[in-house]
Amino acid sequence: MKHSNKTMVKILTIFSFLLFFLGCGETDPSKLFAIQLEGKGNKFQNNQEIGITIRNKKEVDISEPKYFIDGQELAVVNGKVRLTSNTLGSKTLVAKIGFGEQTVEIEKKIKLLAANAPVVYTYDIVNTFPHDPTAYTQGLEFHDNILYESTGKKGFSTLRKVNFETGEITQKIDMDASVFAEGITLLNDQLYQLTWQSGMGYVYKPENLERIKSFSYDQSREGWGLCNDGTKIFKSDGTEKIWFLDPETLEEQGYIETVTNKSIFNKANELEYLNGKIYANVYQKESIMIIDASTGAIEGVINFGGLKNKIKKGPNWDEGNSVLNGVAYHHERGTFFVTGKNWNKLFEVNIRKKD
């Protein structure tokens, strides 16, 4: 049987490529190419335009490359690509190149950062209320004018309901001595609580603090802070990642990475959610980040410098660890409440841009 001319050309083309790879010692076509970005760096701001080329090591004929991040094709104009994604942080830039009968994908690791520097905010104290100085505060949450609080340290961890105006603990459960309790959040009439390094969390009935069930972590490393947007739960774990949890199954369904315009940042601790933003205590710092809950961009930083000086240091005070931690928004009052580990005061504050 005779082959058609078209079939013969196709066979010869494939045979030629096989000979080419064997001759140059390459078995993986992707190793013939590399993505080169202007300046040869790997940190870029979201929506930044940057010069881009394909290094063609053997100068073979290739098609015009197409570039992608997270499966989204990027615009290329006059040799420049606009690096953009719906989420920020560590990304893989992919180039798809055609030559002969093949399509090759080339990858380059980059860091996609926020487009703008964080705005600096400060605070005004509205009210000061008493707070239990033995409480190593890890999580705060308001619901129906009741302050729910989770306190940490092994042997001292508790979950409690507090009259925030008087500081009176109206209900409390002590946790197992092996547990270091962490952040809390309340959604759909269920109260969720993390533990630090035990790899598990708990779910309670908020009306009586009766434990309903427990859940285990998946890819997230540890348990730090919790908040929710009314649909999903956000969980920090001591890394640059803030995870999304399904409130029913508690399964991790993805994450965002927290970034400034200069670097990826990994210090998010206790969390609160308001109007599309996550307010996160910066671990061991007197500040709170304002994070875009969709992209991970750190859009603002609230400087709480000076607040710690208003605290009376009691017998439980630990100079290295008795830091600002705990943030909750009171929707009816329209104000934030903040405190710290072993602080004897709870502060109601307004947030404003720094002059």
Side-chain angles (χ1 to χ4, degrees):
M1 181 182 295
K2 294 183 178 179
H3 294 286
S4 67
N5 290 337
K6 184 176 181 180
T7 303
M8 289 299 295
V9 168
K10 183 175 181 180
I11 292 172
L12 288 171
T13 300
I14 295 172
F15 184 68
S16 297
F17 275 111
L18 287 173
L19 287 177
F20 173 78
F21 289 123
L22 290 172
C24 65
E26 294 286 356
T27 58
D28 183 357
S30 67
K31 293 181 179 179
L32 295 173
F33 310 104
I35 300 172
Q36 291 187 320
L37 295 170
E38 183 181 352
K40 297 183 179 180
N42 72 334
K43 292 183 179 180
F44 306 95
Q45 294 177 345
N46 197 28
N47 291 317
Q48 182 177 347
E49 286 189 348
I50 193 81
I52 190 167
T53 59
I54 294 295
R55 183 185 174 196
N56 189 341
K57 300 175 184 178
K58 298 297 181 180
E59 298 184 353
V60 297
D61 291 332
I62 61 173
S63 65
E64 190 69 25
K66 292 185 177 181
Y67 299 98
F68 301 83
I69 292 179
D70 294 336
Q72 176 183 345
E73 186 172 358
L74 307 178
V76 181
V77 179
N78 297 326
K80 289 183 177 289
V81 66
R82 183 182 294 276
L83 299 174
T84 184
S85 176
N86 293 328
T87 58
L88 306 179
S90 299
K91 296 292 177 182
T92 301
L93 175 62
V94 177
K96 293 184 179 181
I97 305 167
F99 67 101
E101 298 291 328
Q102 304 184 67
T103 300
V104 178
E105 291 191 3
I106 314 300
E107 296 183 352
K108 185 177 181 66
K109 302 296 184 183
I110 64 171
K111 298 183 187 300
L112 199 56
L113 306 178
N116 301 302
V119 176
V120 179
Y121 293 82
T122 187
Y123 64 97
D124 294 314
I125 298 174
V126 178
N127 284 300
T128 302
F129 301 104
H131 181 255
D132 178 10
T134 69
Y136 196 75
T137 304
Q138 297 295 91
L140 291 181
E141 180 91 354
F142 273 108
H143 181 68
D144 291 340
N145 207 40
I146 297 172
L147 182 64
Y148 291 81
E149 183 171 10
S150 175
T151 72
K153 286 192 173 180
K154 291 182 178 181
F156 299 93
S157 291
T158 69
L159 180 62
R160 54 182 70 181
K161 294 158 76 169
V162 180
N163 180 329
F164 74 91
E165 293 179 304
T166 65
E168 177 191 1
I169 301 168
T170 58
Q171 189 176 1
K172 182 181 75 166
I173 59 170
D174 295 317
M175 306 188 70
D176 188 90
S178 65
V179 168
F180 193 123
E182 286 280 349
I184 55 174
T185 195
L186 202 151
L187 176 63
N188 298 331
D189 202 34
Q190 292 189 325
L191 180 62
Y192 302 84
Q193 182 188 40
L194 297 175
T195 63
W196 180 27
Q197 294 179 322
S198 300
M200 66 179 350
Y202 305 109
V203 185
Y204 305 86
K205 293 181 179 179
E207 61 270 20
N208 58 11
L209 303 185
E210 176 189 346
R211 186 182 296 177
I212 302 170
K213 61 181 179 181
S214 61
F215 62 95
S216 59
Y217 307 159
D218 186 11
Q219 297 180 63
S220 59
R221 191 182 71 180
E222 297 176 350
W224 286 44
L226 285 179
C227 67
N228 74 84
D229 64 359
T231 302
K232 62 178 175 292
I233 295 172
F234 298 91
K235 173 185 184 289
S236 61
D237 69 348
T239 72
E240 70 279 3
K241 296 174 182 176
I242 295 180
W243 296 84
F244 312 141
L245 305 186
D246 180 287
E248 294 299 322
T249 66
L250 282 308
E251 292 178 352
E252 295 164 2
Q253 299 182 320
Y255 59 84
I256 53 174
E257 295 183 24
T258 55
V259 304
T260 67
N261 60 318
K262 293 184 178 180
S263 66
I264 295 176
F265 197 72
N266 64 350
K267 297 292 186 180
N269 196 1
E270 220 275 279
L271 308 178
E272 180 65 294
Y273 178 92
L274 179 65
N275 297 333
K277 313 298 179 186
I278 296 172
Y279 291 74
N281 281 110
V282 180
Y283 179 58
Q284 291 192 324
K285 299 292 183 182
E286 304 304 312
S287 59
I288 288 177
M289 297 180 286
I290 304 174
I291 303 164
D292 186 297
S294 297
T295 68
I298 301 171
E299 298 182 340
V301 176
I302 309 167
N303 183 353
F304 279 98
L307 199 61
K308 189 175 180 180
N309 296 333
K310 302 180 183 298
I311 304 304
K312 182 180 178 181
K313 300 178 181 179
N316 295 87
W317 190 264
D318 180 340
E319 195 62 44
N321 291 309
S322 295
V323 295
L324 179 78
N325 197 52
V327 52
Y329 185 75
H330 196 299
H331 287 270
E332 290 73 25
R333 298 166 75 102
T335 52
F336 282 94
F337 284 71
V338 296
T339 189
K341 301 174 181 182
N342 302 129
W343 286 22
N344 71 330
K345 293 179 182 179
L346 173 72
F347 297 95
E348 182 180 12
V349 298
N350 280 324
I351 307 302
R352 61 175 173 84
K353 287 185 180 180
K354 189 173 182 180
D355 298 332

